[in-house]
Structures are given as C-alpha cells and as structure tokens.
Amino acid sequence: MIVIACPGQGSQTPGFLSEWIGDADSRAFLEAASRAADVDLVAHGTTSDADTIRNTEIAQPLIVAASILAWRALAARADLSAVGVAGHSVGEFAAAVAAGVLSETDAMRLVGVRGRAMATAAAAEQTGMSAVVGGVESDVLAAIDAAGLTPANRNGGGQIVAAGSLAGLATLAENAPRGARVIQLQVAGAFHTPYMGSATAVLGEAAATTAVGDPTLQLWSNADGGLVTSGEAFRDSLVSQIAHPVRWDACMESFTAAGITGLIELTPAGALTGIAKRGLKGVPAVAVKTPADLEAAVQLLTDAA
C-alpha cells in the first residue's frame, strides 16, 4: 500500500507555490481557496517573506491549500483509489479532502477559522514548542513531564516535540535527556496542548453544521493512529485535536501494520519523508515539493500497482 501524507505547520518556505500556479486551473483553485479561508494564498505562496508566512493564521491555510493542490495534480496523473491517506496536525484537513470527508471549500473555510483561533489563543500567554531529537523515549517523556510540559507531537523516528510555558522549555533545554538535543521551534505558541482550549471552542462552533462524508479511502487519525470509519467522528477529532497531542508515531505504526510499500508526501513536502527515513526504514518515499516531483510519485504508484 502507498500512503499519501499531508504535512503540518512549519513546512512552508517563501515562494514555494510559485511553480504550482502556472496553469489556469491551479490558480483558479488557489483563488477559490483564498476566498474560503479569507487569506490571500496566491500572494502568500509566491511573494510573502518567511516571517509573514510563519504567522499561524496564514501558514495553516497555506499549507492545506498546497497539499490539496498537489493531490489534485497527482490525481490527474494516476489512479489513487487504492492509496491510504493521513495528515500531520493541520494536514489532517487536506487528508480529509483526499478521503472525501470534507469538500475543498469547507476544509479551507474551517482551516481559516482554525488558524485565526489558534493565533488568538497563542497570543493570550507566552508559550512555545521545542523538538527533542534522540535519547531514550521514556527518558525524554519523563524530562518533558518534569519540566511541566506536554509531548505535543510524538512524531516517531526519535523525535518528540514538547510544548508549554517558555520557562518550562528553558528548564527542558537546561536538563536535556542523555543523548538528546533540544531545539527551539519558531512557532507562535503551545499547539496541541490545553493552551489551545479557546481555539477548540471556536472551531467547534464553525464545524458543527459542516457537512461530512464517511471516508472513501483508508484514513488514519492523529488522535491514536487508528483508522477512521465515520466522517462525523473525524470532524469532531479535527476540532479536539487542537488541544491534544499528535500521535504521528502511532500513525506510522499503523502504516506498517497495513503493509506500507511507499510514502508520498504532498506539498510543502520534506518533514514527513525525513521522519519516515528513521521511523519507516526501508520504505521508499517521495517528497512532492514542485510539479517536477509528480513524475517520481506517479512512478512509485505504478511500481506498487
């Protein structure tokens, strides 16, 4: 089985959509997505600088739109009826579109709400996130807990992201677990922790009346790595996940159990294929960063057929 993965916040780089909007259909999609999310995705994906697109309310819809754009382009070139899909954090909205749970318009509308709500929640208190790379997992989790932090992203492959107060993050950095490095991340707040409680309420209200469908492809959830069978349940999970840890490690364990033979990461790609090199050793992976990478993705799908 080929798994198609949709990345999360932090994957964006200045101008990364420039090569994607050369045709009229792609530009039309981005313009429609911009209206739905209330964010100028064309400008932010092509000309905005790194500081601008780091803003949560811009980064989240930008990343989701990019993954949907790449999904559309790949689907026009290959049969995707037998793939599995998953998204990391906000990437779950793109995965929901790919699996038929949400429409493109609803996904972009909701992720616009999510980004603004999370930015507001992050501004309420000074918090942040740090990646802990290496070390023994049990030691890392114990050190995170001792610093009063949350293991917000358990990514597998020897990477856990801690989130919480700046004081707690400083304590963790000063008391790094043996064999581990603590790397401060350039994010606005403690995502996937209780600090995002107010954002959960806002997104929940926006999502409550959103139409959903049950998944038409195998779709895995960040909540526990389990397969999604109900569109309504996944919609609820998209809301609650804002304040709960991302279990990408559990997703990768599920990929392995399902017999994964390849991983394709959609735009803006790189982070999840990097984790896969450590967490899914021996599994070929393709990072679709530009339209030129679609050929390698199609070849991986063809070889697996």
Side-chain angles (χ1 to χ4, degrees), residues 197-281:
S198 63
T200 300
V202 173
L203 181 60
E205 183 177 355
T209 58
T210 301
V212 295
D214 292 335
T216 57
L217 301 173
Q218 290 194 67
L219 170 65
W220 289 275
S221 169
N222 282 179
D224 57 7
L227 276 172
V228 176
T229 58
S230 163
E232 290 187 357
F234 193 59
R235 178 185 59 196
D236 294 343
S237 178
L238 289 173
V239 173
S240 63
Q241 197 61 17
I242 291 178
H244 290 84
V246 170
R247 292 301 306 272
W248 191 250
D249 57 339
C251 287
M252 290 198 298
E253 290 172 3
S254 295
F255 301 162
T256 299
I260 186 173
T261 57
L263 181 104
I264 297 171
E265 183 182 2
L266 299 180
T267 312
L272 299 181
T273 48
I275 293 172
K277 289 179 181 178
R278 303 184 299 273
L280 296 170
K281 291 182 179 179

Side-chain angles (χ1 to χ4, degrees), residues 72-288:
R72 288 161 58 102
L74 187 58
R77 291 165 172 78
D79 179 8
L80 302 181
S81 62
V83 303
V85 293
H88 186 283
S89 186
V90 75
E92 287 201 299
F93 284 82
V97 171
V101 174
L102 290 174
S103 70
E104 293 175 348
T105 299
D106 282 337
M108 293 310 307
R109 176 179 59 83
L110 290 176
V111 81
V113 172
R114 182 187 195 267
R116 289 185 290 274
M118 291 179 71
T120 298
E125 295 187 59
Q126 290 192 327
T127 58
M129 304 177 81
S130 293
V132 185
V133 181
V136 177
E137 182 175 291
S138 58
D139 293 342
V140 171
L141 291 172
I144 290 172
D145 183 64
L149 303 171
T150 299
N153 295 349
R154 294 179 64 172
N155 288 332
Q159 183 190 101
I160 297 176
V161 176
S165 70
L166 298 184
L169 293 171
T171 297
L172 179 64
E174 293 168 0
N175 299 277
R178 181 179 179 85
R181 293 180 295 128
V182 179
I183 305 167
Q184 183 177 358
L185 302 181
Q186 297 300 311
V187 296
F191 302 146
H192 299 291
T193 73
Y195 285 100
M196 292 293 110
S198 63
T200 300
V202 173
L203 181 60
E205 183 177 355
T209 58
T210 301
V212 295
D214 292 335
T216 57
L217 301 173
Q218 290 194 67
L219 170 65
W220 289 275
S221 169
N222 282 179
D224 57 7
L227 276 172
V228 176
T229 58
S230 163
E232 290 187 357
F234 193 59
R235 178 185 59 196
D236 294 343
S237 178
L238 289 173
V239 173
S240 63
Q241 197 61 17
I242 291 178
H244 290 84
V246 170
R247 292 301 306 272
W248 191 250
D249 57 339
C251 287
M252 290 198 298
E253 290 172 3
S254 295
F255 301 162
T256 299
I260 186 173
T261 57
L263 181 104
I264 297 171
E265 183 182 2
L266 299 180
T267 312
L272 299 181
T273 48
I275 293 172
K277 289 179 181 178
R278 303 184 299 273
L280 296 170
K281 291 182 179 179
V283 175
V286 173
V288 181

